[in-house]
């Protein structure tokens, strides 16, 4: 049973949302093993987001129910910033090749559809594009770092 790339991507996204620790698929010419790390999950802060392609717009501040609201420090994330999220698990690359200039740097202006980085997944280089035009305010990963599905890669202040 041959699997298409999009089917594998959907399978990985589904596994990421479950408690499954390991899955192995085997056929005559194909073998895929997926293992989740054994880290202990901690409750995530409450943040409401609106999905926009591979980006999301932060709409609320982070609050903690264990401390009074007055004791909660103000959020350091600007509510207007749009996060560019990874659509897959892979490795983050800021430049098209080693030794070349990065696609974008903090402070650069980008336009919607412009390539801002590459995610390598299963030896395939996938260009990640900005969903909005604006200014790059923060790049959240270093070149060569592993990235998870849905993980924020950078933040853009939209025009």
């Amino acid at each position: 049973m041959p699997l298409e790339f999009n089917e594998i991507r959907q399978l990985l996204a589904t596994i990421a949302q479950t408690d499954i620790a390991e899955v192995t698929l085997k056929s005559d010419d194909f073998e895929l093993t997926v293992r989740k790390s054994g880290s202990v999950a901690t409750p995530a802060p409450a943040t409401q987001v609106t999905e926009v392609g591979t980006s999301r717009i932060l709409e609320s501040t982070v609050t903690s129910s264990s401390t009074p609201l007055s004791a909660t420090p103000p959020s350091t994330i600007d509510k207007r910033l749009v996060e560019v999220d990874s659509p897959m698990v892979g490795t983050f690359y800021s430049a098209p090749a080693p030794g070349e200039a990065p696609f974008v740097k903090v402070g650069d202006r980008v336009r919607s559809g412009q390539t801002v980085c590459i995610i390598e997944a299963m030896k395939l280089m996938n260009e990640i594009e900005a969903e909005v035009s604006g200014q790059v305010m923060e790049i959240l990963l270093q070149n060569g770092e592993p990235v998870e599905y849905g993980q924020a890669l950078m933040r853009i202040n939209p025009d």
Side-chain angles (χ1 to χ4, degrees):
M1 166 179 134
L3 289 174
E4 297 293 324
F5 179 72
N6 286 335
E7 292 174 319
I8 294 171
R9 183 186 302 179
Q10 185 178 13
L11 174 65
L12 291 174
T14 303
I15 291 170
Q17 297 172 357
T18 68
D19 293 332
I20 296 172
E22 182 175 337
V23 171
T24 301
L25 297 173
K26 292 182 184 179
S27 69
D28 294 335
D29 59 344
F30 179 81
E31 180 175 341
L32 172 68
T33 300
V34 178
R35 288 185 195 98
K36 286 187 183 179
S37 64
S39 62
V40 177
T42 57
T47 301
Q48 180 181 0
V49 294
T50 303
E51 294 291 331
V52 181
T54 58
S55 299
R56 53 187 173 160
I57 301 171
L58 297 175
E59 294 184 347
S60 67
T61 59
V62 176
T63 60
S64 173
S65 59
S66 62
T67 59
L69 187 57
S70 61
T72 303
S75 175
T76 58
I77 301 174
D78 190 333
K79 295 177 189 178
R80 299 173 307 209
L81 298 182
V82 175
E83 289 187 341
V84 177
D85 294 335
S86 177
M88 64 195 69
V89 173
T91 304
F92 172 84
Y93 292 108
S94 60
E100 290 190 23
F103 288 105
V104 296
K105 299 181 293 283
V106 172
D108 285 356
R109 306 242 4 119
V110 296
R111 64 187 184 287
S112 182
Q114 177 180 341
T115 300
V116 294
C117 66
I118 291 176
I119 302 296
E120 177 187 3
M122 297 172 38
K123 303 294 182 193
L124 294 175
M125 300 299 182
N126 301 281
E127 293 183 349
I128 307 303
E129 299 177 348
E131 295 289 324
V132 297
S133 296
Q135 183 177 17
V136 177
M137 301 306 288
E138 190 175 4
I139 299 175
L140 304 170
L141 296 166
Q142 298 295 318
N143 199 40
E145 279 191 50
V147 63
E148 295 293 324
Y149 171 80
Q151 181 178 350
L153 305 172
M154 61 186 65
R155 294 188 178 107
I156 298 174
N157 188 9
D159 291 336

